[in-house]
Each structure stands twice: as structure tokens, then as C-alpha cells.
């Protein structure tokens, strides 16, 4: 872990095209105009996101009437004809945020710009004179404004509106589309309604805190940050009504400074932690930051799945207790994974601790990449680690009540995940690299270009090309295109599992020099000239992973990982089909085999057991011979692409 240094260069929030732009911290994020992903795994995902997922989301927002709700509000005909859940407005705002990032990624697109502006116009037309904006409350025949803070999601929806406006302002500063004005009018209203002398409560679903903090950073308006701070400090004091799952569901059971781990609804918990981190950073509140660091530590160590997913309760989409991580009941909501990235990224910018970047990578490859289909038009809402029954296919033209099958669905009654995936992938380049007064840090590996200005004593223009086929191999090459005249430090993350990493400098004029590096950040400091190359290499080979024995549900099992990817066994690759997934075992000491094309296989055994009248006893007789065979295994993010199937990540070890 590298030593934290605080940047001495102030950040101008509105000029950095990134989702999170603190005014101070160890690291400064680089925006979409400074980092562009050009090739490889994530470039392919971004292409599909832009060409398929965004049109798909817009189609369903229109088809399901969630966009039309704004038209009805503008026409004064609500509540008649309103469709969707109480939080349906937020999905429109997340879509707008995704499009804003996509426009920034592309450097503009006339057709997409036109669609964006048309939807902004429809949203703005629904705003009331005092700034109130919501299609579910506030009109005759609807609930009164702010009358259901536990479940109404009014502030939650506005948080996503604020984030959409921030994305637009950072990718198209000074745009005349009116979205920023719509957002600030709504923010001004809630400052009056929920300020020091206003309603002394919070939203049942944290999110507005994040939106207000970033809106404050963009506009320079301190009232927005102060309101976000009030919301964070009020929560945990019992301001919301108790419910059957307890106030922990809303994180309203314990003040955030006293909490020891994330708990309750996993998305709410991570959004709250992300917003609280924003406030702590802007206020220089070390006590709050320490509390959040401790919550992150315990949550990762005791409440997070191998995939990086979080949430083991279906009924309340919530965290379980420590080590309560059953594979077949893993909820691991896609949105919870995205929210945990938001929390981790903020801590990374503040602390420059490689653990946060490692977790972000794990979630990106095994939750974010898992949710959308290869075509980008169907999604997992939840991400189980063990599918016991094959389920049924989800029709392309029907809404799913929830992702309960083993195939992705095109849309859901609660469709928070598709636009959340879309905005994450569109903005992904902003999570690749950062800078400080010493140089540039590379946190996620993708073929990309970097073009930025480094501050500090030896500051100046820095341009580089990243080339890698990661995660296929562990070779990351950084070729310097332009650099300041003085010393610059290029830092590359060495993943926690990379035990044989070497960093090599290949200067244009001179001998190459390499040295072994332990996990953390490999720092290379020198006066670079164009053509110099820094290369990080490490082995990406399959490895067998054991669980902490306190995770009862998977004690005596192993999982297979390769680089950042978790692997799984799928029934379509087993003799015996769907039913066989419940009977497979792996021998102790068996290791996966990798072929020349990078495909993995492993020797498995199928144990034959007879059905009995009572499933407990001192021994169980087999009904036939056990079978040993070699089966293909594949990255978890690719499962269920071949039709309904059963699947498992953790494989029981054969015992005598």
C-alpha cells in the first residue's frame, strides 16, 4: 500500500468529465476527455452499451409509460394514466445520465444529442413553478408531497436527477438544454423544505446525498453540500417509521459514525456510504472518514461474495450478518455492486489504497459484466452463485416481475439495474486512471489513451498509450507519447493475486531495467521522453480458492479464479445435464487445465446417491457407479448465454 499524499492542485469540478470530482484528496480523477478506452474487453462492452443497451432502455421507458408520466404531469392530467412504481422517474434520470456520459465518451453524436434534448424537454415541462418535480406525488388524487418518506422515493429520484445534470455539465459545460437549471431549482426547493428549520427527516432510500454533493461541486453552491450533510447526520436517529425488517433496512438504526459495517438494504447502504464519503472529504472530517473506512473493511472481509457482490437476503435485498453468504441464496443485486464501486472509488481517491481498486475490478468483471447479456438487451437483476433449477427463458417482449429465472430478462417491474449498468459502462473510462502532482496512476487495465496535464513542480502535458489484452494475459504496456521535462511517476496497480509481477522500463535510448514488484502500486519515476515504455507483467493462471470456514454454506468447497475473473460450472457442460450440478465434486489437489486458447477445464466427479425417505443418517448408499470426467468451466460473467441452465461457483471437495 502506498503512502497517502494530498494533492496540492485544486480541482475544478465542472471541468473534469467524471462522475466523482472531490475538491481535495490523494488522487485527482481523469475525465472521459482525458482517458479513452480503445480496444479489448471493456471497449467491446462500451460499444454494445452505446449501440444496443441505451436504445433498449429508451424503448422500454417509452413502452412502459415511464417517460409519458412526465407528459401527463405537464398536461395536468395525473394521476390518471400514470404507470410504473413510485420511483419510475429515477430510471429516466439514470438513462439521461448514461446518455450524457455516452455523448462525452463519443465526443458528441447528433442523433443521440437530439434524443437527449427531447427527453430533457419532457422532464422540464413537468416541473412545477416552485421547483418540485415528481410524477407520483403532489397533485389532486395523489399523495401529498413528502408524505411517505419511508417508501415514496421523492428525494431518491431527485438525487438521480442531480447526477444526470452533473454528468451533462461535466461533459458539455454551459449546455443550453436546461437540465442543470431544472436540477438546481429542485435542489433549491429541498434546501428550503428539509433544511435546518424544515422537515427533520430523510429519504427512505439514500441517494440524494450523492447527487447533492456532486451538484454542489459543479455549481459551487454550499447549501447543497450542507443539506447532504444534514441528511447523513440525521439518519440513524430513528427519524423514519419502524418496519418489519427494522430500521436497519433504511440505515436509520445507528448513526453512521457509530456503525461497524454496512447493513440493511445493500443498495441503500452503499449509496449512503458514498454520499457520506463525499461530505467527509469536503469537510475534512477525519472522524467520519475513519468510520467509513472501518465499515468498508468489515463489509469486504465478512459480508461480500467472491464475485464482489453484496446482499444475501432476498426479502429485503439486504446484507446478512457476518459470514452469512449462502451461494444459492445470494441476492447480490447488480445495483448493489455498482453502488459498492461508487463507495470504493471515493475512498480510493482519498486514500490511494490499492484494496479499493482491487475490489472495483472484482465487481466490474463479476457483477457489472455479468448483468447484461452479450447483446446488451437483457439483464440479471440479482446474481446468484448457485442456480439449482434451470428456470425458464424470459420472453423478449415481456416485463419480468424480478430476475427469478436463470436467464437474463429484457425489463423488470423494478428496472433499476439496466439504466444503472448503462451509466456505469458509459462512464467507465473515468475509473481507469488518476493523477497527482507526481504523475499518473493506472488502476484498471484496458487498452486506452491518456491525455492530461500533471500539476506540481514538474508539471506539464502527459500523453500515453496503454496496450493490453487483459484479462487474457497479464501484460500491460504504457508507451509514453509526451511528458513534462522533469521527473514523472507512472504507477500501475499490481493486483493482490499477482505474486510474480515485474515492472520493466524500456527507454528509447538505453538498456531495459526490470524489478520484481509485490501487490500494491508499482511506481516508476523518471524523466520520460516520447517512445519510452513501462511494462508490467504478471502471470494470469487459474488458481483454486478456498473460503473462510466461517462461511458455513460453502465450507469444504473450492472455487476457480483466473486473474480478475471468477469461474463457474454450468450444466450445459456436464454429462447428466441440469440435475448433475447438485452432485458434482472435485478432488483435493485437482487443478484446472488451460488450453492454448485460454479455455479452462477441470476433472470432476459425479456422485450417484439414492433417494431415501429421510435425508439424514450416518451414511448414504450410491444408486450407481460414480463417474469421473473432464468438464469445461467458463467465466461467471458469461453464464446463462446458452439457454436456461443450472450453475455453481463453489464446488464441494470429494471426501472419502
Amino acid at each position: 500500500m502506498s503512502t497517502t499524499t494530498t494533492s496540492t492542485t485544486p480541482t475544478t469540478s465542472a471541468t473534469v468529465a467524471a462522475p466523482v470530482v472531490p475538491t481535495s484528496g490523494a488522487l485527482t480523477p481523469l475525465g472521459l476527455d482525458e482517458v479513452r478506452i480503445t480496444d479489448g474487453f471493456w471497449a467491446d462492452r462500451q460499444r454494445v452499451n452505446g449501440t444496443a443497451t441505451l436504445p433498449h432502455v429508451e424503448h422500454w421507458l417509452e413502452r412502459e409509460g415511464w417517460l409519458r408520466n412526465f407528459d401527463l404531469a405537464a398536461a395536468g392530467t395525473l394521476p390518471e394514466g400514470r404507470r410504473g412504481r413510485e420511483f419510475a422517474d429515477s430510471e429516466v434520470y439514470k438513462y439521461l445520465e448514461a446518455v450524457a456520459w455516452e455523448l462525452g465518451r463519443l465526443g458528441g453524436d447528433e442523433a443521440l444529442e437530439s434524443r437527449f434534448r427531447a427527453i430533457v424537454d419532457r422532464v422540464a415541462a413537468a416541473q412545477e413553478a416552485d421547483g418540485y418535480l415528481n410524477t407520483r406525488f403532489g397533485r389532486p388524487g395523489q399523495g401529498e408531497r413528502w408524505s411517505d418518506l419511508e417508501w415514496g422515493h421523492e428525494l431518491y429520484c431527485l438525487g438521480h436527477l442531480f447526477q444526470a445534470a452533473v454528468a451533462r455539465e461535466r461533459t458539455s459545460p454551459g449546455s443550453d438544454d436546461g437540465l442543470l437549471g431544472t436540477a438546481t431549482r429542485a435542489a433549491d426547493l429541498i434546501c428550503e423544505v428539509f433544511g435546518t428549520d424544515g422537515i427533520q427527516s430523510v429519504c427512505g432510500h439514500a441517494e440524494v446525498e450523492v447527487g447533492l454533493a456532486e451538484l454542489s461541486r459543479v455549481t459551487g453552491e454550499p447549501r447543497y453540500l450542507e443539506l447532504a450533510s444534514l441528511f447523513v447526520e440525521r439518519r440513524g436517529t430513528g427519524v423514519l417509521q419502524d418496519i418489519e425488517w427494522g430500521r436497519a433496512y433504511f440505515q436509520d438504526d445507528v448513526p453512521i459514525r457509530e456503525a461497524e459495517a454496512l447493513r440493511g438494504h445493500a443498495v441503500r447502504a452503499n449509496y449512503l456510504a458514498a454520499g457520506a464519503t463525499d461530505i467527509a472529504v469536503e469537510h475534512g472530517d477525519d472522524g467520519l472518514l475513519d468510520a467509513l473506512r472501518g465499515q468498508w473493511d468489515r463489509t469486504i472481509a465478512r459480508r461480500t461474495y467472491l464475485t464482489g457482490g453484496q446482499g444475501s437476503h432476498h426479502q429485503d435485498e439486504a446484507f446478512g450478518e457476518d459470514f452469512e453468504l449462502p451461494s444459492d441464496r445470494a441476492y447480490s443485486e447488480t445495483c448493489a455492486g455498482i453502488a459498492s464501486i461508487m463507495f470504493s472509488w471515493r475512498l480510493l481517491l482519498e486514500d490511494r489504497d490499492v484494496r479499493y481498486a482491487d475490489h472495483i475490478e472484482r465487481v466490474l468483471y463479476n457483477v457489472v459484466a455479468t448483468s447484461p447479456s452479450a447483446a446488451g438487451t437483457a439483464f440479471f437483476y440479482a446474481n446468484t452463485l448457485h442456480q439449482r433449477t434451470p428456470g425458464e427463458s424470459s420472453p423478449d417482449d415481456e416485463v419480468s416481475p424480478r430476475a427469478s429465472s436463470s436467464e437474463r430478462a429484457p425489463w423488470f417491474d423494478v428496472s433499476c439495474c439496466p439504466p444503472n449498468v448503462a451509466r456505469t459502462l458509459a462512464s467507465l473510462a473515468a475509473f481507469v486512471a488518476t493523477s497527482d502532482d507526481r504523475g499518473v496512476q493506472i488502476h484498471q487495465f484496458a487498452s486506452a489513451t491518456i491525455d492530461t496535464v500533471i500539476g506540481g513542480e514538474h508539471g506539464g502535458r502527459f500523453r500515453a498509450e496503454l496496450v493490453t489484452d487483459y484479462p487474457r494475459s497479464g501484460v500491460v504496456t504504457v508507451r509514453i507519447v509526451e511528458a513534462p521535462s522533469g521527473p514523472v511517476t507512472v504507477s500501475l496497480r499490481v493486483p493482490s493475486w499477482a505474486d510474480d509481477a515485474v515492472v520493466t522500463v524500456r527507454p528509447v535510448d538505453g538498456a531495459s531495467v526490470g524489478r520484481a514488484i509485490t501487490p500494491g502500486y508499482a511506481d516508476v519515476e523518471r524523466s520520460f521522453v516520447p517512445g519510452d515504455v513501462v511494462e508490467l507483467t504478471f502471470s494470469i493462471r487459474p488458481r483454486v480458492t478456498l473460503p473462510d470456514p466461517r462461511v458455513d454454506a460453502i465450507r469444504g468447497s473450492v472455487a476457480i479464479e483466473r486473474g480478475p475473473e471468477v469461474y463457474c460450472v454450468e450444466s450445459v457442460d456436464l454429462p447428466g445435464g441440469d440435475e448433475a450440478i447438485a452432485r458434482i465434486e472435485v478432488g483435493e489437489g485437482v487443478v484446472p487445465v488451460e488450453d492454448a486458447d485460454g479455455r479452462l477445464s477441470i476433472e470432476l466427479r459425479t456422485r450417484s446417491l439414492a433417494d431415501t425417505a429421510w435425508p439424514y443418517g450416518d451414511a448414504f448408499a450410491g444408486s450407481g457407479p460414480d463417474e469421473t470426467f473432464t468438464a469445461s468451466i467458463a467465466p461467471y460473467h458469461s453464464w446463462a448465454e446458452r439457454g436456461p441452465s443450472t450453475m455453481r461457483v463453489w464446488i464441494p471437495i470429494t471426501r472419502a
Side-chain angles (χ1 to χ4, degrees):
M1 184 175 72
S2 300
T3 303
T4 298
T5 57
T6 301
S7 173
T8 58
T9 305
T11 299
T12 305
S13 176
T15 63
V16 180
V20 187
V21 188
T23 57
S24 66
L27 305 174
T28 298
L30 300 185
L32 305 191
D33 54 340
E34 297 172 286
V35 180
R36 297 191 182 277
I37 299 173
T38 57
D39 196 13
F41 185 96
W42 291 116
D44 291 343
R45 295 294 177 132
Q46 286 195 310
R47 175 185 53 78
V48 171
N49 187 60
T51 59
T53 301
L54 286 176
H56 176 85
V57 171
E58 182 180 356
H59 162 77
W60 281 93
L61 290 173
E62 201 75 80
R63 169 182 155 153
E64 291 303 298
W66 301 358
L67 266 169
R68 186 169 177 265
N69 290 339
F70 292 93
D71 304 334
L72 298 175
T77 60
L78 288 177
E80 184 178 354
R82 188 189 184 279
R83 296 179 61 184
R85 293 285 298 272
E86 60 274 16
F87 39 74
D89 294 1
S90 71
E91 313 313 344
V92 174
Y93 302 148
K94 275 186 276 186
Y95 169 75
L96 286 174
E97 182 188 349
V99 173
W101 294 127
E102 182 69 4
L103 287 166
R105 184 182 79 86
L106 296 174
D109 179 283
E110 186 174 342
L112 189 59
E113 174 77 18
S114 178
R115 297 205 305 275
F116 178 87
R117 286 176 174 268
I119 293 175
V120 169
D121 288 345
R122 294 165 73 180
V123 168
Q127 189 169 36
E128 298 185 33
D130 64 353
Y132 185 78
L133 181 55
N134 189 279
T135 68
R136 177 64 177 78
F137 292 90
R139 298 167 187 81
Q142 295 183 321
E144 295 182 5
R145 296 180 181 183
W146 325 118
S147 61
D148 187 5
L149 289 173
E150 287 77 17
W151 302 106
H153 289 74
E154 289 161 280
L155 291 170
Y156 166 85
C157 289
L158 290 179
H160 281 299
L161 171 67
F162 301 158
Q163 287 185 288
V166 166
R168 179 60 165 176
E169 183 64 14
R170 287 181 176 157
T171 54
S172 183
S175 174
D176 62 354
D177 57 58
L179 182 57
L180 184 61
T182 300
T184 55
R185 285 189 292 274
D188 291 342
L189 173 66
I190 63 173
C191 284
E192 294 177 13
V193 173
F194 288 92
T196 304
D197 299 324
I199 298 173
Q200 301 296 298
S201 193
V202 300
C203 183
H205 197 311
E207 156 62 28
V208 71
E209 299 84 356
V210 173
L212 282 167
E214 289 303 326
L215 191 63
S216 177
R217 288 165 171 166
V218 159
T219 63
E221 175 53 68
R223 291 182 305 143
Y224 302 157
L225 184 67
E226 292 309 312
L227 181 58
S229 181
L230 282 176
F231 283 144
V232 167
E233 298 296 349
R234 285 172 185 165
R235 195 178 296 269
T237 62
V239 294
L240 297 171
Q241 293 295 315
D242 203 359
I243 60 171
E244 62 179 312
W245 302 314
R247 286 195 176 94
Y249 176 82
F250 305 120
Q251 295 75 49
D252 192 34
D253 57 329
V254 178
I256 195 165
R257 296 174 186 272
E258 300 175 16
E260 296 180 352
L262 300 189
R263 72 251 176 257
H265 188 273
V267 181
R268 284 168 164 86
N270 276 289
Y271 279 164
L272 176 64
T277 306
D278 286 331
I279 293 157
V281 168
E282 296 305 318
H283 286 169
D285 190 334
D286 292 337
L288 180 54
L289 272 172
D290 283 344
L292 291 161
R293 292 181 183 113
Q295 291 164 31
W296 189 93
D297 289 346
R298 181 163 169 177
T299 301
I300 296 300
R302 299 179 174 218
R303 301 185 178 193
T304 300
Y305 285 98
L306 180 67
T307 56
Q310 295 179 345
S312 56
H313 289 182
H314 281 237
Q315 67 174 6
D316 50 352
E317 302 181 317
F319 286 98
E321 297 301 323
D322 289 352
F323 304 109
E324 186 186 347
L325 296 165
S327 291
D328 57 347
R329 294 299 294 165
Y331 197 69
S332 184
E333 184 181 342
T334 299
C335 288
I338 290 169
S340 78
I341 290 175
M342 293 168 59
F343 180 24
S344 301
W345 179 247
R346 285 160 168 81
L347 289 176
L348 176 63
L349 294 177
E350 177 64 16
D351 292 349
R352 198 185 190 261
D353 188 330
V354 72
R355 296 177 305 148
Y356 304 130
D358 280 345
H359 175 67
I360 288 169
E361 177 182 71
R362 183 173 293 276
V363 177
L364 284 173
Y365 277 98
N366 302 296
V367 177
V368 175
T370 305
S371 177
S373 64
T377 55
F379 308 85
F380 280 136
Y381 186 109
N383 296 279
T384 185
L385 276 68
H386 183 179
Q387 183 73 30
R388 290 181 176 274
T389 59
E392 298 179 357
S393 297
S394 298
D396 293 340
D397 60 349
E398 292 183 12
V399 175
S400 171
R402 188 59 57 83
S404 56
S405 77
S406 64
E407 281 205 318
R408 298 162 179 87
W411 202 248
F412 308 94
D413 287 337
V414 178
S415 231
C416 49
C417 297
N420 221 353
V421 168
R423 68 173 181 152
T424 302
L425 291 176
S427 62
L428 190 61
F431 298 92
V432 169
T434 57
S435 68
D436 61 13
D437 288 348
R438 297 171 56 219
V440 169
Q441 305 79 40
I442 298 166
H443 307 286
Q444 304 300 328
F445 302 135
S447 289
T449 59
I450 297 176
D451 186 345
T452 190
V453 175
I454 299 171
E457 180 182 356
H458 302 291
R461 185 87 176 272
F462 178 88
R463 292 192 295 144
E465 295 176 349
L466 276 63
V467 178
T468 181
D469 64 349
Y470 187 84
R472 178 68 183 87
S473 76
V475 180
V476 182
T477 300
V478 182
R479 187 177 73 84
I480 306 301
V481 177
E482 182 178 353
S485 58
V488 170
T489 300
V490 173
S491 303
L492 294 100
R493 178 176 62 91
V494 180
S496 59
W497 41 262
D499 56 6
D500 61 352
V502 174
V503 64
T504 302
V505 179
R506 306 188 191 282
V508 171
D509 185 11
S512 298
V513 178
R515 57 190 169 95
I517 294 291
T518 57
Y521 283 102
D523 296 335
V524 176
E525 181 181 8
R526 63 182 287 114
S527 295
F528 290 101
V529 298
D532 284 353
V533 169
V534 177
E535 185 174 83
L536 176 67
T537 60
F538 46 84
S539 297
I540 292 191
R541 52 182 178 266
R543 61 189 186 276
V544 176
T545 300
L546 300 172
D548 187 305
R550 288 171 290 185
V551 186
D552 291 305
I554 52 174
R555 186 182 298 163
S557 298
V558 297
I560 308 301
E561 297 181 87
R562 182 185 182 277
E565 297 171 310
V566 173
Y567 275 66
C568 67
V569 181
E570 201 170 355
S571 59
V572 291
D573 295 315
L574 298 178
D578 296 330
E579 186 270 338
I581 206 76
R583 298 185 291 110
I584 60 170
E585 298 176 346
V586 63
E588 289 189 272
V590 171
V591 295
V593 175
E594 183 173 5
D595 68 17
D597 295 320
R599 292 185 292 262
L600 299 189
S601 60
I602 193 168
E603 184 178 283
L604 298 173
R605 169 190 174 190
T606 302
R607 173 173 289 190
S608 297
L609 293 171
D611 289 334
T612 61
W614 180 243
Y616 309 99
D618 58 1
F620 288 90
S623 59
D626 294 344
E627 182 180 2
T628 300
F629 55 91
T630 299
S632 296
I633 55 176
Y636 172 74
H637 59 69
S638 69
W639 91 276
E641 288 284 1
R642 295 173 288 174
S645 64
T646 57
M647 175 276 300
R648 69 188 308 151
V649 167
W650 291 98
I651 311 168
I653 299 172
T654 297
R655 300 295 183 186

